[in-house]
Amino acid sequence: MYDFAYLKPASLSDAANQLASPDSKLLAGGMSLIPSLKLRLNRYATLVDLGALADLKGIRREGDALVIGAMTPHAEVAASDEVLTVLPALASLAEGIGDPLVRNRGTLGGSIANADPAADYPAAVVGLGASVITNRRTITADDFFKGVFETALQPDEIITAVRFPIPKRAAYAKYRQPASRFALVGVFAVQSANGVRVAVTGAAPSVFRLAAAEAALIKRFAVAALDGITLDTEGLNSDIHASAEYRAHAVVEMTKRAVAAALK
Amino acid sequence: MPTVAMTVNGKSVAGNVEGRTLLVQFLREHLQLTGTHVGCDTSQCGCCTIHLNGKGVKSCAVLALACEGADVVTIEGLATGGTADVKLHPMQEAFREHHGLQCGFCTPGMIMSAVDMVKRKGHDLDEKAIRKQLEGNICRCTGYHNIVLAVQAGAAAMKGN
Ligand SMILES: Cc1cc2nc3c(=O)[nH]c(=O)nc-3n(C[C@H](O)[C@H](O)[C@H](O)COP(=O)(O)OP(=O)(O)OC[C@H]3O[C@@H](n4cnc5c(N)ncnc54)[C@H](O)[C@@H]3O)c2cc1C
Ligand code: FES
Ligand code: FES
């Protein structure tokens, strides 16, 4: 790992100022950033640690939504009574990330800012039609994820929280890559007052919505409504773990499992 | 060079470190607490597991400077007594009793993870729960069978402590 200056600001505005200098990078749980620095995949002059900003941590109910702070670790989301009661699909997604030690450190904000194509949270953010709140603006889920490790965030922008609308029913079905435990394919299916949303992670360079499944499920939210739906392999990921054909098949299967679980 | 101060196994410690110094390097190279191991470069193996402010974490993915003022417990901090009258922690005793190791490289991390698991999930753990909760710790020797037995026995034995 190349050396860098380490800063731990005490306020969000200090963090924003420190981040504005060139070659600065935010540090949250460090579960993605530090391994990548150790492999010298990246190099920064300064790391700005958000660890002292207590306001960025926590889970609260706001009307018909759950607002979760960017620095809330996965383990807290997984164990939160509030999340388990009103949005159990999100708690179970968090409980399925990596392993317990990673879940004790890794954060919601870090996960979505990182935008790993195989990460779990992006499926929940897009599936639930969440809003990503930053120190400058609110970004809708459909506008947030832009590509492989790419988001709508400016280099000096800080996610403060994510607002998840509470749906009528939802579930996440994940087909784990057994070695990394990331999603080979993960599908988050949601039925809410605004309709149906199906978000897929792991299958393509970035999370995407499965329009054919949404159209079928809006008529009838049932596993059988998905019969005959297929997915074009064009643009899907293909690697040593799974071909594009395999992933296309897994997406449909995981969508069925997510719908079945949501109906339980 | 910046300085960092924290509590490790109940003692106040301090040192000069670089920005990039990892907590595991601080423990091993500055404090000579070499019970915490490094088994990988990718934060996957769990050999470096310690307790940071009461929670199990991988010390190879935490910066030393981020631990200013923190409370850290390593494998060296579990047993009680001195060299003459050392009393192993019930989880350590269970690993010995059930032969939950072969080469022993993964063992400090396994034990720190197992103690963290008991804190989160309680004392009555079945095989399935233990295997799931040990997903962050890799063992290349044992095939996990005796590790699971050891964790189950250690978890039960911790009830009395
Ligand atoms: C062994 C292992 C297994 C894993 N398995 C999974 C898995 O199964 N599923 C999964 O989804 N993930 C998995 N992860 C990744 C894990 O969830 C990370 O915690 C997460 O991707 C990054 O969160 P972090 O808080 O650690 O962020 P960091 O690593 O600190 O930061 C990641 C990136 O986000 C930026 N960032 C952080 N916070 C903010 C913010 N508030 N605003 C703007 N930018 C920010 C940083 O600058 C950096 O670029 C795994 C990681 C490991 C080590
Ligand atoms: S050395 Fe920390 S996880 Fe492998
Ligand atoms: S006992 Fe050798 S790696 Fe686990």
Side-chain angles (χ1 to χ4, degrees), chain A residues 179-252:
Chain A
S180 77
R181 290 179 293 276
F182 275 89
L184 196 63
V185 165
V187 176
F188 206 100
V190 177
Q191 186 184 35
S192 72
N194 300 328
V196 170
R197 293 172 70 102
V198 176
V200 180
T201 189
S206 181
V207 57
F208 65 94
R209 287 173 62 187
L210 196 58
E214 290 181 357
L217 291 169
I218 204 137
K219 289 192 204 118
R220 187 160 63 101
F221 197 85
V223 176
L226 295 165
D227 281 345
I229 285 182
T230 54
L231 193 61
D232 194 351
T233 54
E234 180 78 33
L236 294 191
N237 296 340
S238 187
D239 54 33
I240 54 163
H241 305 298
S243 64
E245 290 74 18
Y246 191 95
R247 281 191 165 85
H249 183 80
V251 167
V252 177

Side-chain angles (χ1 to χ4, degrees), chain A residues 38, chain B residues 24 37-49 58-61 136:
Chain A
K38 281 162 75 176
Chain B
V24 69
H37 291 170
V38 176
C40 72
D41 279 334
T42 49
S43 303
Q44 282 172 311
C45 76
C47 288
C48 62
T49 304
K58 294 176 173 178
S59 61
C60 71

Side-chain angles (χ1 to χ4, degrees), chain B residues 101-107 138-142 147:
Chain B
L101 61 141
Q102 286 179 21
C103 79
F105 196 83
C106 69
T107 314
I138 293 172
C139 175
R140 290 269 113 136
C141 301
T142 61
I147 292 178

